[in-house]
Amino acid sequence: MNELEIIRSQLAAEQSHAGEVANACAAAFGSTGIAASEQAMALFREACVSYLVWVLARFEERDQTLSELLLSRQPPADGTAAAGARQLGNLVSRPGTSREALARLESAIDAGHSAAAGAAWQEFARFFNSSWAPRRAALEAALAEHSSVADWRAVCAIDADSILDERRRFARVAEQLPAGIELRRPSRP
């Protein structure tokens, strides 16, 4: 496996895991039929929030780095490089950002155990699956078409430590799953 394949594989894993965690949160906190203790649910919530904040912040940082990279290059007005830069720039500014996902996650957390909590977690998962995930897929497709390995390396900031950190955080979520809740890949909208 070459470096680009490792980077892209890790990005795919992070996106898939984030979707699994978002959907598990919606299932656990968006319904009233979960038979788990308050302590078990608190531990699960803590693991989920820790994972989601970490992974969404990393994706937001990647978008910022990509924006800065595009600005620093300022390609000529015409040509393939300019078209690729415009396409990436349009995708970066498209709705469905990690910042928006973090804001929805914060709303769900702030709802606590109120009647609105279930709807807030459902809204977070809906946004994640219908806006965030498609935007990420489009960005990565455009990066694959217009970027070098050096660009991927600079934008994604994936190394052995970050891979291990992501795996540990995801494993912690899996360890805290309440009975009846599964980590499932998100369905495509």
Side-chain angles (χ1 to χ4, degrees):
M1 192 180 269
N2 68 37
E3 182 181 4
L4 184 55
E5 290 171 335
I6 292 169
I7 291 170
R8 293 186 73 187
S9 174
Q10 180 60 25
L11 286 172
E14 289 178 15
Q15 290 175 33
S16 178
H17 290 165
E20 291 174 43
V21 173
N23 290 331
C25 287
F29 309 125
S31 71
T32 57
I34 304 301
S37 70
E38 192 173 313
Q39 181 182 11
M41 292 301 281
L43 290 172
F44 180 61
R45 181 186 321 263
E46 180 183 313
C48 290
V49 169
S50 175
Y51 182 83
L52 290 167
V53 167
W54 182 84
V55 77
L56 289 170
R58 285 190 47 87
F59 277 109
E60 183 63 26
E61 290 170 13
R62 290 171 181 145
D63 286 357
Q64 293 301 316
T65 302
L66 178 58
S67 293
E68 291 165 9
L69 180 69
L70 292 172
L71 284 173
S72 72
R73 293 208 174 144
Q74 306 252 337
D78 297 326
T80 305
R86 278 192 302 278
Q87 179 187 13
L88 282 167
N90 288 338
L91 288 170
V92 168
S93 61
R94 181 173 146 183
T97 66
S98 296
R99 185 178 309 256
E100 292 171 274
L102 284 164
R104 282 176 170 73
L105 176 61
E106 183 178 11
S107 293
I109 295 165
D110 289 347
H113 302 290
S114 71
W121 283 105
Q122 294 294 327
E123 168 56 22
F124 168 70
R126 186 205 58 73
F127 175 83
F128 190 93
N129 293 317
S130 66
S131 296
W132 186 88
R135 179 180 177 274
R136 295 289 348 143
L139 267 169
E140 287 182 29
L143 272 171
E145 192 174 325
H146 301 292
S147 301
S148 67
V149 173
D151 292 343
W152 279 87
R153 188 182 307 124
V155 169
C156 297
I158 290 176
D159 59 18
D161 290 337
S162 68
I163 291 170
L164 291 173
D165 194 13
E166 189 273 336
R167 288 181 183 164
R168 276 191 298 271
R169 289 172 185 274
F170 185 70
R172 184 170 166 235
V173 171
E175 290 167 3
Q176 300 298 329
L177 278 173
I181 301 298
E182 298 176 346
L183 291 171
R184 295 186 331 263
R185 290 185 184 261
S187 59
R188 298 289 172 212

